[in-house]
Structures are given as structure tokens and as C-alpha cells.
């Protein structure tokens, strides 16, 4: 019996072991097959999770705050649904002067600007409808025209009528004036350093240095340089008769100094991108134009610019998006003053958050989001896409 039982058990174990091994191999094969099918999702899953944690969820939370009234209490807080109250406060209520500006009566110049803007926008829509009408395209242009007319009316009632404008006007000023100055100087430096001149490698490195400095350092540096009493250039200020001039006490000079500081920081970014684009311009076409007797301006206008225009439009779109978020320099150099003359919308939202007005802070942030998205999408569709589209 014993000798008969032993071989039977051994043979049974011999038959069971391969079955278990086959099951393990089959499970592993199925797992590998599943990993192969979902490899793309698995590779991007960490990035998606990080975006959800640090971007999407805070966005949803801020959206809830924008439509709520938050009251902080000892050890707790109370959230009450407020609807559009926070937005009405900024656009039509007690905070209108802070966000939009002070409105009294529109001057003759303001009415001229308003009527001219309305006529130009209507003509622009009419030309699009005549050239090729599409529902989505017309709706998009109608939104752009509405926002454009609203901004024109805002500046007509404030800037062109002698009234101070609020943080929305200040932000638009930083975007339009600052980005224009930065693009022109950056393009000029890129064209200069693309020429076969001595020391151009040295100047390329020097022109790039400001981009590597933190905005806080730039703010404190320009605040020190512009000091007319104790700054390093105070003898120069006294020599030209501005020794007793406080630039931070005047709205326009304060805005101008902030634009100069912001331009000094961001010109290298535009310079480097445009220089790379200029280096890729076909030299054969440039030399052919020069052989045909074209001037330097004609070569740039007819040969160089069409080739770098898509890059220029794209880099300006990136710069405009960043300019809407300007907060460091106004906070450090002027703290938004004098009054609110240099306070951007981002700084406005930050001050409201610091004062624990969380609902107002979120509402201002979403108003900034709306304005920046409309203007940036309009810029992209009307200029960037046009430059990227093949002729």
C-alpha cells in the first residue's frame, strides 16, 4: 500500500505543477498585453494627475469662491452663495472705480474715439460677412468686436475724458504699450546681432542676461536706480534738474518706469526667439535680392519678414499672455500707487485676497481670465493663424 501510494502522489504532483505554471504565464501575458494596450495612458497619467491636483481642482475651487461670499470665523468659515454679486460689485457697484475707473461725462475727444471705434468695428464685421460668412467665425468676431468696443468706451470715458481709469485700463496699458516696445527693441537687437559684425557673440550673451534675473531683483534694482535722492544715478537726476522729482508720485511716470523695468526683463526673450528665426532665413534669397539691387529695407520687408512672421506672431502671443499676469514689478516698485494708478488686475486680485475678500479676489481673477482669453484668442485667430497659413 505504501509503495503504491507514493508513486501515485508523485505523479499527481507532477501533473499539477505544470498547470499552475501555465496559469502564471497566462496571467503575466495578459498583464503585458494590457500594459501594451494602455501604455500611452499610463505614461501621461502622472502628468494628468499633477495637472488635476495643481490646476484643475484649484480652478474649480476659485470658481466656487467667485460666486460665493466667504466669512472667516475663529476656527471655521461660512460659505454663502452670492450669485453674480461679486461681479456686479466690480462692474457696476462700489468697486467700479477700482476696476473700471471713475466715470463722469465723456469729452468731445472721447466721443470721437468712441464713434470712430464703433465705425471701424462695424466695417470690420461687414467686410467679413461680405467676404465669406460662417456662423462660428462671425460669433467669434462679434465677441471680439464687443470686447474691443467696450475697451474703447472705457478709455473714452476715462483716459480721453481726463478721468482716472482702474486696474483693467492699467493692465491693458501694460499689455499694449509694454509688448509693443519690447517687440520693436527685441526685433531691432535680433536684426543687429544677425549681421556679420565683430563681437556679436558677446552681445548675444549680454542681451540675454536680464531674462535670467528674478523679477523681484529687477523690481528692487529699478526702484533703486530711479531713486532721485539716494540712488546711484541721483547726481544725474540733479544735473538734469529732476533732483526733487518723485517719479512714484505721478501716475504716468510711475507706469512708465514699470513698463521700462518689464521691458528690460522681457526684451531678451523676444530677442532670442527672433534671432533664432533670423538665423534660419534663407541666405540664398537674401543674397539674390542684394544682387538685384534691393535695399536693406526692401530685403527685410520682402524676404526676411515673411519668413520670420509666424515666429514673431507666436512669440508675441506668448508675451501678451505673460503681460496680463504682471504683478511683481508694480507690487515692489510702487505697491500699486500712487493710489491705484499702477495696480494691475493681478495685483488687484492679490490685494483683495490679502484683505480676506476671497470672493472679490476670485471674481477679479475670472474677469481677467475673460478679457485675456478673448484678446489672446482674437490675436491668435486674426494674426498668428494668418501667418502660419501657407500662402
Amino acid at each position: 500500500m505504501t509503495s503504491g501510494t507514493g508513486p501515485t502522489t508523485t505523479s499527481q504532483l507532477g501533473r499539477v505543477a505544470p498547470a499552475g505554471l501555465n496559469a502564471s504565464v497566462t496571467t503575466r501575458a495578459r498583464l503585458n498585453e494590457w500594459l501594451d494596450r494602455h501604455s500611452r495612458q499610463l505614461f501621461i497619467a502622472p502628468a494628468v494627475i499633477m495637472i488635476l491636483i495643481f490646476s484643475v481642482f484649484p480652478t474649480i475651487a476659485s470658481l466656487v469662491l467667485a460666486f460665493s461670499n466667504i466669512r472667516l470665523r475663529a476656527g471655521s468659515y461660512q460659505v454663502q452663495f452670492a450669485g453674480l454679486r461679486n461681479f456686479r460689485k466690480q462692474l457696476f457697484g462700489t468697486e467700479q472705480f477700482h476696476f473700471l475707473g471713475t466715470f463722469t461725462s465723456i469729452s468731445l475727444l472721447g466721443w470721437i474715439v468712441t464713434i470712430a471705434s464703433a465705425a471701424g468695428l462695424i466695417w470690420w464685421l461687414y467686410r467679413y460677412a461680405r467676404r465669406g460668412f460662417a456662423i462660428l467665425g462671425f460669433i467669434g468676431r462679434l465677441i471680439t468686436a464687443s470686447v474691443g468696443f467696450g475697451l474703447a468706451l472705457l478709455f473714452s470715458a476715462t483716459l480721453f475724458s481726463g478721468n482716472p481709469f482702474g486696474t483693467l485700463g492699467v493692465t491693458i496699458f501694460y499689455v499694449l504699450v509694454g509688448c509693443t516696445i519690447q517687440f520693436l527693441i527685441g526685433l531691432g537687437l535680433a536684426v543687429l546681432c544677425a549681421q556679420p559684425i565683430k563681437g556679436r557673440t558677446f552681445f548675444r550673451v549680454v542681451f540675454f542676461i536680464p531674462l535670467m534675473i528674478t523679477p523681484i531683483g529687477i523690481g528692487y534694482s529699478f526702484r533703486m536706480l530711479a531713486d532721485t535722492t539716494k540712488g546711484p544715478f541721483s547726481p544725474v537726476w540733479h544735473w538734469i534738474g529732476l533732483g526733487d522729482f518723485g517719479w512714484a508720485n505721478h501716475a504716468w511716470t510711475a507706469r512708465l518706469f514699470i513698463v521700462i523695468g518689464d521691458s528690460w526683463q522681457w526684451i531678451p526673450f523676444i530677442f532670442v526667439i527672433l534671432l533664432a528665426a533670423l538665423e534660419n532665413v534663407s541666405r540664398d534669397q537674401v543674397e539674390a535680392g542684394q544682387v538685384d539691387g534691393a535695399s536693406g529695407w526692401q530685403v527685410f520687408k520682402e524676404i526676411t519678414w515673411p519668413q520670420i512672421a509666424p515666429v514673431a506672431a507666436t512669440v508675441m502671443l506668448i508675451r501678451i499672455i505673460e503681460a496680463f499676469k504682471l504683478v511683481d514689478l508694480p507690487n515692489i516698485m510702487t505697491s500699486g500707487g500712487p493710489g491705484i494708478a499702477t495696480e494691475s488686475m493681478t495685483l488687484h486680485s492679490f490685494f483683495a485676497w490679502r484683505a480676506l475678500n476671497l470672493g472679490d479676489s476670485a471674481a477679479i481673477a475670472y474677469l481677467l481670465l475673460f478679457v485675456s482669453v478673448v484678446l489672446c484668442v482674437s490675436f491668435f485667430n486674426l494674426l498668428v493663424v494668418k501667418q502660419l497659413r501657407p500662402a
Side-chain angles (χ1 to χ4, degrees):
M1 295 294 293
T2 304
S3 60
T5 305
T8 304
T9 305
T10 304
S11 61
Q12 289 176 351
L13 292 174
R15 288 194 301 269
V16 171
L21 181 62
N22 291 334
S24 177
V25 172
T26 303
T27 303
R28 186 176 301 175
R30 290 178 179 177
L31 178 61
N32 291 334
E33 183 180 356
W34 183 87
L35 291 174
D36 290 337
R37 287 200 312 267
H38 300 84
S39 59
R40 288 189 291 182
Q41 292 85 343
L42 292 175
F43 276 122
I44 67 173
V48 172
I49 293 173
M50 295 296 291
I51 292 175
L52 289 175
I53 294 175
F54 293 103
S55 181
V56 176
F57 294 153
T59 301
I60 297 174
S62 64
L63 184 62
V64 173
L65 292 177
F67 292 95
S68 304
N69 183 21
I70 312 297
R71 294 183 179 180
L72 301 180
R73 298 179 177 179
S76 64
Y77 59 90
Q78 181 181 3
V79 180
Q80 295 180 344
F81 180 73
L84 299 175
R85 188 183 307 166
N86 295 325
F87 294 94
R88 286 199 302 266
K89 186 191 300 184
Q90 303 297 326
L91 298 174
F92 310 105
T94 56
E95 290 294 317
Q96 184 189 65
F97 76 97
H98 198 165
F99 179 69
L100 296 178
T102 303
F103 301 148
T104 53
S105 59
I106 302 179
S107 64
L108 177 61
L109 178 60
W111 280 116
I112 293 175
V113 173
T114 301
I115 295 173
S117 302
L121 292 172
I122 292 174
W123 172 249
W124 176 61
L125 292 174
Y126 173 75
R127 284 189 57 190
Y128 173 76
R130 287 287 304 273
R131 186 174 62 251
F133 183 82
I135 295 295
L136 293 179
F138 184 78
I139 293 176
R141 283 166 173 77
L142 188 61
I143 295 175
T144 301
S146 301
V147 174
F149 178 73
L151 294 177
L153 185 60
L154 170 67
F155 283 105
S156 298
T158 54
L159 177 63
F160 297 109
S161 298
N163 299 319
F165 48 78
T167 56
L168 175 59
V170 173
T171 303
I172 298 299
F173 172 79
Y174 289 152
V175 171
L176 295 181
V177 177
C179 291
T180 301
I181 294 175
Q182 293 161 28
F183 177 76
L184 294 177
I185 297 178
L187 177 61
L189 294 177
V191 172
L192 180 64
C193 288
Q195 305 301 317
I197 58 177
K198 293 182 178 180
R200 63 176 184 173
T201 303
F202 169 77
F203 288 110
R204 289 180 180 182
V205 176
V206 170
F207 293 154
F208 185 72
I209 289 177
L211 192 61
M212 297 184 288
I213 302 177
T214 175
I216 296 178
I218 294 175
Y220 281 113
S221 298
F222 272 87
R223 182 177 176 179
M224 174 187 64
L225 294 175
D227 192 341
T228 59
T229 57
K230 300 179 181 179
F233 291 115
S234 59
V236 178
W237 295 117
H238 283 81
W239 181 69
I240 62 178
L242 296 176
D244 297 328
F245 178 73
W247 61 272
N249 297 326
H250 298 79
W252 284 108
T253 54
R255 294 177 187 134
L256 180 61
F257 269 93
I258 291 175
V259 168
I260 292 174
D262 186 54
S263 299
W264 189 81
Q265 178 186 5
W266 284 101
I267 284 173
F269 172 73
I270 299 176
F271 159 74
V272 169
I273 302 299
L274 293 183
L275 179 61
L278 288 170
E279 294 290 344
N280 291 323
V281 173
S282 175
R283 302 304 304 173
D284 295 337
Q285 297 181 10
V286 173
E287 293 174 357
Q290 293 173 347
V291 170
D292 290 339
S295 63
W297 169 249
Q298 290 174 331
V299 170
F300 178 80
K301 179 182 178 182
E302 302 297 336
I303 299 175
T304 305
W305 175 251
Q307 297 186 50
I308 69 171
V311 178
T314 303
V315 74
M316 280 304 298
L317 175 63
I318 298 174
R319 183 63 200 104
I320 289 173
I321 294 174
E322 290 296 324
F324 272 109
K325 300 184 291 184
L326 180 64
V327 64
D328 307 90
L329 296 184
N331 188 26
I332 296 171
M333 296 178 65
T334 62
S335 296
I340 59 172
T342 59
E343 187 176 323
S344 64
M345 289 180 64
T346 308
L347 188 58
H348 184 187
S349 178
F350 170 71
F351 285 158
W353 172 81
R354 193 170 62 179
L356 301 181
N357 296 326
L358 304 184
D360 290 345
S361 177
I364 297 166
Y366 273 95
L367 289 172
L368 172 62
L369 176 65
F370 173 76
V371 174
S372 60
V373 166
V374 171
L375 294 183
C376 291
V377 170
S378 301
F379 180 86
F380 179 81
N381 290 329
L382 299 177
L383 292 179
V384 179
V385 173
K386 180 180 179 181
Q387 297 297 336
L388 294 177
R389 186 181 297 117

